[in-house]
Amino acid sequence: HPSHRGDLADILRPLINTRSLEQNRLIYGAIVDQYALVDQLEQADWAVLLYNWNSYHQSRQLAAAQHFIRQARQAGKPVLTWVGGDYGARVPDPEVWVFGCAGYQSRAGTRRFGTPVFIRDPLREYGFEHIQPLARSPKPLIGFCGYARTTPLKAAAFTLTTLRRNLLSALRLAVEEPQTLFPPVLLRQRLLERLSRSPLVDTDFIQNTQYQAGALTAQDKDTARRCFFANIRSTAYTLCVRGSGNFSARLYETLAMGRIPVLVDTDCLLPYAGDPRWKTCCVYVPQAEASRIAEIVAAFHDSLSAEDFIAIQHQARRFWEERLCMEGFFTHFPEHINEAEGSL
């Protein structure tokens, strides 16, 4: 039903909709022809739960999901499920393959994998055929536009709300996974302050006190979105650090724009985590070293020639196209599964 489409497993979106095959090819690309739905479990390579795991829990349909898992197991088929929302979901069956952008790598186990935040191509959205790389400047110019300013009262309220949610999670009264108690918006605010004070970098920060600058109307949201992408486009580097959930949509938006993310790794569950481009196309900053963020960005910048700097921006865009947009991610998904199964 269209009202449930938001809960549909990502891999099924190109296959279950009201569009024609030609329309789906235009939107989703080659993956429309790479995957097919079959009528019997015996015909399938994988058994995929229709909706994300959160949805089964919230609608009290876990029995139906578990029945499907048992059927798939009897047929000898691996079961795949997706989790949604900012906080992911705990899937109790260790034999089920779990995919989603939220979560923590240290808690992932052997069958839990990160996925990108799937976004519309911002170049096409704003009328650009190709990326327009920036020339190397003497110092790195770091941008940020978004929710990154809070008050002590709001920060305390976030911590109390998270503590309550974590308690419900520990008691198995909520499906969401436990989260860190430190407010992510405060982490952003402190990192931006640290960068602003550093003589090693230049900055162009737009710090809002609300998500999407508090936009309520469609026109205001469009204005906020244009401001957001204009900031990414005009700066070579963009600070990418988690939001409410332990992932950053800005990370994928920055790569898609052909710019260099400053990726603060808060134990993120990155898709294709072994791909070396996470370290070559991004300035990788482990959270334990966040106090040195300006020094890390400056050292990365200083290591690049003018030619390297241009090349990395093109490589960032290719990384998104080849692995992190929906077509790129699911084109390589079978080999990802096969490699993971081989390592068990």
Side-chain angles (χ1 to χ4, degrees), residues 50-122:
L50 183 65
Y51 298 122
N52 65 47
W53 191 262
N54 316 58
S55 175
Y56 288 107
H57 194 279
Q58 291 159 5
S59 63
R60 299 183 179 181
Q61 295 293 317
L62 280 178
Q66 290 162 346
H67 176 67
F68 179 76
I69 292 170
R70 287 194 298 271
Q71 286 183 308
R73 191 162 290 154
Q74 289 170 2
K77 307 299 180 181
V79 181
L80 282 57
T81 191
W82 265 253
V83 295
D86 281 345
Y87 310 119
R90 184 190 300 104
V91 180
D93 192 324
E95 297 299 314
V96 173
W97 297 85
V98 182
F99 301 89
C101 53
Y104 295 83
Q105 182 62 51
S106 62
R107 309 176 195 167
T110 56
R111 285 186 169 85
R112 177 73 179 268
F113 295 94
T115 64
V117 177
F118 295 120
I119 59 170
R120 297 193 298 270
D121 186 344

Side-chain angles (χ1 to χ4, degrees), residues 21 88 157 210 311 324 329:
L21 181 61
Q210 298 179 71
L324 303 175
F329 181 81

Side-chain angles (χ1 to χ4, degrees), residues 109-319:
T110 56
R111 285 186 169 85
R112 177 73 179 268
F113 295 94
T115 64
V117 177
F118 295 120
I119 59 170
R120 297 193 298 270
D121 186 344
L123 293 187
R124 292 184 182 178
E125 187 175 355
Y126 293 106
F128 301 110
E129 291 188 13
H130 308 286
I131 71 165
Q132 298 176 338
L134 298 175
R136 187 184 183 282
S137 55
K139 289 197 294 186
L141 175 59
I142 307 173
F144 180 90
C145 176
Y147 179 31
R149 196 181 296 279
T150 191
T151 65
L153 185 60
K154 284 184 177 180
F158 176 91
T159 298
L160 289 173
T161 301
T162 305
L163 184 62
R164 177 181 178 276
R165 189 188 305 113
N166 288 353
L167 179 61
L168 292 174
S169 178
L171 295 173
R172 298 298 193 265
L173 297 176
V175 69
E176 290 85 4
E177 295 175 305
Q179 302 291 309
T180 180
L181 295 176
F182 190 80
V185 65
L186 191 56
L187 174 61
R188 289 180 175 183
Q189 182 175 312
R190 290 183 176 178
L191 289 171
L192 292 173
E193 289 170 352
R194 188 178 295 277
L195 289 166
S196 296
R197 292 194 301 265
S198 173
L200 299 175
V201 301
D202 292 326
T203 61
D204 182 9
F205 296 155
I206 302 171
Q207 291 179 249
N208 300 320
T209 58
Q210 298 179 71
Y211 177 66
Q212 289 188 334
L216 297 176
T217 67
Q219 183 176 352
D220 287 345
K221 289 179 181 179
D222 181 66
T223 299
R225 185 169 175 80
R226 288 179 181 275
C227 179
F228 173 85
F229 280 110
N231 183 266
I232 293 176
R233 186 166 176 262
S234 64
T235 56
Y237 300 88
T238 291
L239 178 67
C240 299
V241 60
R242 64 165 292 172
S244 295
N246 192 35
F247 62 92
S248 169
R250 183 181 280 100
L251 171 63
Y252 305 99
E253 291 159 334
T254 302
L255 289 166
M257 289 290 286
R259 296 295 183 259
I260 306 167
V262 179
L263 168 58
V264 180
D265 185 5
T266 51
D267 195 18
C268 297
L269 198 60
L270 294 172
Y272 296 114
D275 194 306
R277 286 174 289 189
W278 285 120
K279 301 289 180 68
T280 58
C281 291
C282 305
V283 183
Y284 182 81
V285 183
Q287 187 170 8
E289 299 181 39
S291 62
R292 298 181 50 251
I293 187 169
E295 291 91 331
I296 293 172
V297 176
F300 181 94
H301 189 74
D302 289 344
S303 71
L304 302 174
S305 67
E307 294 77 16
D308 292 338
F309 192 71
I310 298 294
I312 281 180
Q313 293 172 71
H314 285 288
Q315 188 183 25
R317 170 69 184 186
R318 285 196 300 273
F319 186 23

Side-chain angles (χ1 to χ4, degrees), residues 328-342:
F329 181 81
F330 284 114
T331 295
H332 296 280
F333 190 71
E335 63 195 63
H336 189 42
I337 290 285
N338 292 337
E339 181 182 344
E341 284 185 318

